[in-house]
Amino acid sequence: DADVTQTPRNRITKTGKRIMLECSQTKGHDRMYWYRQDPGLGLRLIYYSFDVKDINKGEISDGYSVSRQAQAKFSLSLESAIPNQTALYFCATSDTTGGNTEAFFGQGTRLTVV
Amino acid sequence: AQSVSQHNHHVILSEAASLELGCNYSYGGTVNLFWYVQYPGQHLQLLLKYFSGDPLVKGIKGFEAEFIKSKFSFNLRKPSVQWSDTAEYFCAVKRDSSASKIIFGSGTRLSIRP
C-alpha cells in the first residue's frame, strides 16, 4: 500500500463545479503539502500545513482552499473550477524530525476542467 | 524568498554520454537540497539529498550531486546515462528551519537516445 494516497487519480469536471481532491498518509508525518504540476513550470506550491491547526498559503493559492481534517488527511478544494486549473496535482508529506527531511509524494491526481 | 532555477529545460543525450544538470538557488542561509526524478506517468521519487557534511552526495542509480556553497549550486551528475534515465528531474530547496517549506525548480526533461 502507498504511504501517501490521493483520490481520485483522474477526474474530469465542468467549469464552475466544486471539486475536492483528497490525500491521506500513513507515514505519521506532521507536514503536508499540495502542489500542482504544469509543463515547463515544475511544481508550484498551493497550500501547506505544518500540523492540524496550521494552514499556510503557497505561491498560487487563489481559487483553492484546503482542510486538514486530521494529521493524516489534507484535502484540496476548487470552489468553482476553471479550465486553467487543469493540471496534475500532487500531495506530499514531510517530517520535522531533526528539521531535515525530504518530501514523499502521492501518485498524483490528473484533473481536467472542461 | 527562496527560489530555485534549473536552466536546462530539455536535454537530449545518447546512451553512455555523461550528464550534468544545473541547479541554482537564491537563499543565502543554510539549506537542505534535493534532486527528485519523475519517470513518465509516475510520481516524484527522491534521487538524493544534501543536509550537511560532505558536499558530494551520492544517490540511487549512479547519480551524484555536488553542493558548491559559493556558487549557490547543486548540480546533478551521472558519468554514463542509460535509456532508462529518460525522465524529468527536479531540484528542490528547503531552508534549514522548522518553519520552512520545500520549493521546486521548473524541472529538466531528459531524453536519452538508444
Side-chain angles (χ1 to χ4, degrees), chain A residues 18-57:
Chain A
R18 183 178 189 276
I19 182 169
M20 179 183 289
L21 309 183
E22 301 195 25
C23 177
S24 62
Q25 52 121 343
T26 58
K27 299 189 74 66
H29 287 170
D30 51 357
R31 300 183 175 197
M32 298 186 75
Y33 307 79
W34 276 105
Y35 294 90
R36 66 175 277 177
Q37 183 180 17
D38 300 276
L41 297 178
L43 275 75
R44 292 181 292 168
L45 184 61
I46 306 172
Y47 270 97
Y48 59 106
S49 168
F50 285 171
D51 65 41
V52 174
K53 298 179 182 178
D54 176 80
I55 301 290
N56 304 280
K57 292 183 177 181

Side-chain angles (χ1 to χ4, degrees), chain B residues 26-39:
Chain B
S26 63
Y27 182 64
T30 303
V31 293
N32 305 147
L33 297 158
F34 312 91
W35 275 98
Y36 285 83
V37 60
Q38 184 181 31
Y39 297 105

Side-chain angles (χ1 to χ4, degrees), chain A residues 31 33 35 37 40-43 45 48 50 59 88 90 94 99-103 105-107, chain B residues 32 34 36 38 42-44 46 49 51 88 90 94 96 98-106:
Chain A
R31 300 183 175 197
Y33 307 79
Y35 294 90
Q37 183 180 17
L41 297 178
L43 275 75
L45 184 61
Y48 59 106
F50 285 171
E59 307 166 67
L88 185 56
F90 284 104
S94 70
N100 298 324
T101 63
E102 67 269 27
F105 284 84
Q107 297 286 333
Chain B
N32 305 147
F34 312 91
Y36 285 83
Q38 184 181 31
Q42 296 190 26
H43 66 295
L44 277 76
L46 185 71
K49 60 187 177 184
F51 290 160
E88 191 151 16
F90 294 93
K94 174 184 172 296
D96 187 14
S98 61
S100 182
K101 55 191 182 291
I102 303 171
I103 298 297
F104 286 81
S106 57

Side-chain angles (χ1 to χ4, degrees), chain B residues 23 25 27-33 35 49-57 64-77 93:
Chain B
C23 173
Y25 63 93
Y27 182 64
T30 303
V31 293
N32 305 147
L33 297 158
W35 275 98
K49 60 187 177 184
Y50 172 80
F51 290 160
S52 63
D54 190 343
L56 184 62
V57 294
E64 64 179 31
E66 184 175 13
F67 170 51
I68 303 179
K69 188 173 182 179
S70 60
K71 295 185 178 180
F72 300 90
S73 69
F74 190 56
N75 292 355
L76 181 70
R77 300 196 292 247
V93 64

